[in-house]
């Protein structure tokens, strides 16, 4: 057996993944990705965000390249939870890998409505995107205020029969404070980071590149920030962490694991190389063999935090 002696399994909120490689919400389509690799090679697949009703997304242009990544203001375009359950879930459920559904909302009630509808599905876990704007609080992101983050966590936990990961925004002063707030209200795990707020200006047209002016920066440019935040959050909470932000290689994944992540998500890399998640998994295995590591714990414990 090629990987004999290696144990890639990780446990997140009571769910065992065969390996720590997952897909990042917003960049993954099982229908499209399955044309490039076997989805069953993933530890888990994390879906695009789904809301109570269809969201049309933002007007174009809504994607722009930048040095070391991209900026997007897609606007969480999705067909709504009812269509998702009827048309998308049956396709996702055929794969023998963990299924994590990303949930979006503009009010606490909207989050809870989606969560309740997912209770009777085969989803293994939910990822709650609290980077969404709270329309009852003037558009402030749920994830930028500890009290709002705690409240949405509390309400979702009372309605959900699935474990929940709270997906944190990096656009805060103290991400550890937000992490502690969601842990205190029962979050089963945390995923971070979401995109950093960025902007590009076309100096020839003298106008913003994106219709919405600002958007979320992702890709290799954000990795040092993401690693730093995973490191800080790991020292603030005891619940599992799924780390993400600019992971392009197996060694990038190792860096997040050493910082304290239990699993990692691959996002923008898959837009450049559709098979990036499985390539990164292979590179992670090669690194483990080269360094005589048998488990993810071996990698994490090797980090010399001076």
């Amino acid at each position: 057996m090629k990987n004999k002696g290696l144990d890639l399994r990780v446990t997140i909120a009571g769910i065992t993944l065969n390996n720590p490689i997952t897909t990042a919400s917003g960049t993954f389509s099982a229908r499209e990705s399955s044309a490039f690799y076997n989805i069953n090679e993933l530890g888990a697949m994390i879906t695009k965000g789904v809301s109570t009703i269809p969201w049309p997304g933002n007007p174009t242009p809504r994607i722009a390249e930048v040095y070391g990544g991209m900026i997007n203001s897609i606007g969480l375009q999705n067909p709504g939870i009812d269509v998702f359950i009827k048309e998308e879930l049956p396709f996702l459920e055929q794969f023998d890998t963990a299924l994590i559904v990303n949930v979006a909302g503009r009010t606490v009630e909207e989050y809870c409505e989606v969560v309740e509808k997912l209770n009777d599905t085969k989803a293994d876990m939910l990822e709650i995107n609290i980077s969404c704007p709270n329309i009852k609080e003037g558009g402030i992101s749920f994830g930028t205020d500890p009290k709002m983050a705690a409240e949405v966590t509390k309400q979702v936990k009372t309605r959900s029969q699935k474990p929940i990961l709270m997906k944190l925004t990096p656009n805060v002063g103290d991400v550890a404070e937000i992490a502690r707030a969601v842990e205190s209200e029962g979050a089963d795990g945390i995923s971070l980071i979401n995109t950093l707020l960025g902007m590009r200006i076309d100096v020839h047209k003298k106008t913003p590149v994106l219709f919405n002016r600002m958007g979320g920066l992702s890709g290799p440019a954000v990795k040092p920030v993401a690693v730093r935040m995973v490191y800080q959050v790991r020292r603030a909470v005891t619940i599992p962490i799924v780390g993400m932000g600019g992971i392009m290689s197996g060694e990038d994944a190792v860096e997040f694991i050493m910082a304290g992540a239990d699993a990692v998500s691959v996002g923008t890399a898959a837009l450049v190389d559709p098979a990036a998640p499985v390539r990164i998994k292979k590179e992670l295995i090669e690194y483990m063999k080269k360094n005589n590591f048998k488990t993810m714990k071996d990698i994490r414990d090797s980090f010399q935090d001076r």
Side-chain angles (χ1 to χ4, degrees):
M1 185 173 167
K2 187 167 63 172
N3 298 321
K4 187 176 181 180
L6 298 185
D7 185 356
L8 300 180
R9 292 174 299 175
V10 296
T11 300
I12 307 291
I15 306 297
T16 298
L17 313 186
N18 289 331
N19 64 76
I21 307 299
T22 76
T23 58
S25 174
T27 61
F28 175 74
S29 164
R31 294 181 189 276
E32 295 174 1
S33 297
S34 60
F36 295 94
Y37 62 87
N38 182 356
I39 301 295
N40 293 329
E41 288 196 45
L42 297 170
M45 48 185 171
I46 303 180
T47 71
K48 293 182 179 180
V50 61
S51 54
T52 52
I53 60 174
W55 285 4
N58 294 324
T60 58
R62 54 188 189 176
I63 295 178
E65 269 193 86
V66 297
Y67 292 121
M70 61 178 278
I71 297 178
N72 90 84
S73 64
I74 300 298
L76 293 169
Q77 180 178 334
N78 76 94
I81 184 61
D82 294 332
V83 173
F84 177 81
I85 289 174
K86 181 181 178 181
E87 298 181 5
E88 191 65 20
L89 262 185
F91 184 82
L92 296 169
E93 289 170 353
Q94 70 179 300
F95 298 106
D96 185 24
T97 190
L99 171 59
I100 302 172
V101 178
N102 182 280
V103 177
R106 294 189 176 118
T107 64
V108 173
E109 293 75 18
E110 287 185 6
Y111 282 109
C112 291
E113 182 180 337
V114 175
V115 163
E116 288 181 327
K117 289 188 175 184
L118 288 166
N119 279 336
D120 294 328
T121 70
K122 293 182 180 178
D124 294 291
M125 202 180 311
L126 308 181
E127 181 183 61
I128 313 299
N129 179 6
I130 57 173
S131 298
C132 296
N134 183 346
I135 60 173
K136 289 188 175 181
E137 295 290 339
I140 300 170
S141 168
F142 285 96
T144 59
D145 179 85
K147 290 182 180 178
M148 284 198 294
E151 181 62 20
V152 70
T153 304
K154 178 182 178 180
Q155 294 301 324
V156 166
K157 277 295 292 181
T158 64
R159 312 285 186 90
S160 178
Q161 297 171 15
K162 314 281 187 183
I164 63 167
L165 301 172
M166 303 304 292
K167 187 168 187 177
L168 305 190
T169 174
N171 301 303
V172 296
D174 184 358
V175 70
E177 182 183 16
I178 307 294
R180 285 190 291 265
V182 301
E183 182 184 45
S184 71
E185 292 297 344
D188 298 291
I190 287 170
S191 60
L192 76 157
I193 62 174
N194 210 321
T195 55
L196 285 157
L197 194 60
M199 182 176 180
R200 268 200 63 196
I201 293 172
D202 186 322
V203 298
H204 302 289
K205 294 181 179 178
K206 300 153 184 83
T207 59
V209 171
L210 299 177
F211 182 90
N212 264 22
R213 295 172 176 78
M214 291 174 282
L217 173 65
S218 64
V222 310
K223 195 188 83 171
V225 176
V227 171
R228 182 263 295 179
M229 289 193 169
V230 168
Y231 176 86
Q232 289 178 313
V233 169
R234 178 72 288 156
R235 279 142 190 81
V237 302
T238 61
I239 53 179
I241 295 172
V242 179
M244 67 201 74
I247 296 174
M248 304 292 288
S249 69
E251 290 195 2
D252 288 339
V254 169
E255 199 170 342
F256 276 83
I257 294 166
M258 286 184 176
D262 297 272
V264 298
S265 290
V266 179
T268 300
L271 301 180
V272 179
D273 169 15
V278 292
R279 172 181 55 76
I280 288 169
K281 174 187 168 184
K282 290 175 183 176
E283 291 171 357
L284 170 62
I285 290 170
E286 290 169 5
Y287 175 89
M288 292 176 71
K289 289 178 177 178
K290 182 178 179 180
N291 289 273
N292 198 31
F293 292 141
K294 304 299 182 185
T295 67
M296 295 306 111
K297 185 177 183 299
D298 290 344
I299 295 175
R300 196 156 37 248
D301 290 349
S302 72
F303 176 49
Q304 300 176 42
D305 188 8
R306 291 183 287 275

